Amino acid sequence: MPRNLTQLDEWPRHQTLDTFDMVASDSERWSDGSWICVGDPAGACHLITALRWYPNTNVVDGYAIVALDDGRQHNLRVSRRMRPAIDDLSCGPMWMRIVEGLRVLEVGATPNESGIEFDLRWDGFSPCFDETSGIRRYQDGRVVRARSNFVQVGNVSGSITVQGRRFDVDSSWVGARDHSWGIGDTGNGNQRGFAAPAGGP
């Protein structure tokens, strides 16, 4: 596969001979991405949203799930080809901006058919915690999970609108996020064993 230079290749952070267009693993289950959840303490509105990149299947996907106090859940799913727009941190109506790594993010969704729109700023008020530092799991002698992730709590501000109902998000809301990368079950479900069943006597 031909290599493509990305904006990240300007930074002196290369770990392999490849460009940032590629990852060191050839697993189709390798992915990298984040989720953010934010909730109203009064229980009127709760949002979970995520975007993930799958370089070995050339896919970006994401979602937004909003649960409201009327007992209804609203969903938005998005997907696109990752290349050639690998530097583009958007997918359909959903977008993300990294303002300051490990500290300030902006995420949103522009008007779309799902009726879910949001424009939020994340300000981490705790240091990121390296929760899973390269954990590897094996099944029948093969790697089924090789994953790293960090988590953080933070203040979220902005607004969420669902089917015309607007919620103003302020520091009274609760926010948490997770950024993970590597080989995992994300997007694929639990992986079955491939080894032949154990034989009898």
Side-chain angles (χ1 to χ4, degrees), residues 38-47 66-69 160 162 167 173:
V38 55
D40 171 15
C45 177
H46 184 81
L47 166 72
V66 183
L68 300 181
D69 56 3
I160 302 169
V162 183
F167 299 88
W173 289 50

Side-chain angles (χ1 to χ4, degrees), residues 5-183:
L5 290 170
T6 71
Q7 293 175 13
L8 289 173
D9 288 302
E10 194 72 72
W11 292 86
R13 293 291 185 266
H14 292 87
Q15 301 292 311
T16 71
L17 292 175
D18 292 317
T19 61
F20 278 96
D21 182 52
M22 302 178 180
V23 292
S25 168
D26 62 359
S27 172
E28 66 181 19
R29 293 187 295 121
W30 179 282
S31 68
D32 190 341
S34 301
W35 59 256
I36 291 176
C37 64
V38 55
D40 171 15
C45 177
H46 184 81
L47 166 72
I48 301 175
T49 185
L51 285 169
R52 289 200 78 80
W53 281 256
Y54 300 82
N56 292 331
T57 57
N58 199 29
V59 170
V60 180
D61 70 11
Y63 62 82
I65 303 168
V66 183
L68 300 181
D69 56 3
D70 61 4
R72 298 184 65 193
Q73 175 178 304
H74 302 264
N75 304 294
L76 168 63
R77 294 300 304 251
V78 295
S79 181
R80 70 167 174 87
R81 292 177 62 89
M82 189 180 84
R83 296 177 182 88
I86 191 172
D87 288 316
D88 183 357
L89 300 184
S90 68
C91 186
M94 293 180 57
W95 56 269
M96 176 174 67
R97 292 189 196 99
I98 301 169
V99 179
E100 181 183 343
L102 307 182
R103 175 70 179 156
V104 182
L105 303 175
E106 295 173 345
V107 296
T110 58
N112 60 84
E113 292 179 0
S114 76
I116 299 173
E117 303 171 39
F118 55 98
D119 189 342
L120 299 171
R121 177 184 168 101
W122 169 275
D123 287 284
F125 65 71
S126 75
C128 292
F129 175 67
D130 192 8
E131 183 179 51
T132 306
S133 51
I135 298 298
R136 290 171 175 82
R137 292 188 183 142
Y138 296 85
Q139 178 180 320
D140 300 326
R142 66 188 179 92
V143 176
V144 294
R145 188 173 180 86
R147 192 79 152 194
S148 292
N149 81 293
F150 64 80
V151 294
Q152 187 181 39
V153 292
N155 290 317
V156 186
S157 57
S159 65
I160 302 169
T161 302
V162 183
Q163 300 294 331
R165 186 176 174 191
R166 179 186 167 100
F167 299 88
D168 292 317
V169 180
D170 59 32
S171 60
S172 69
W173 289 50
V174 178
R177 75 179 183 108
D178 175 288
H179 185 152
S180 63
W181 62 95
I183 300 170

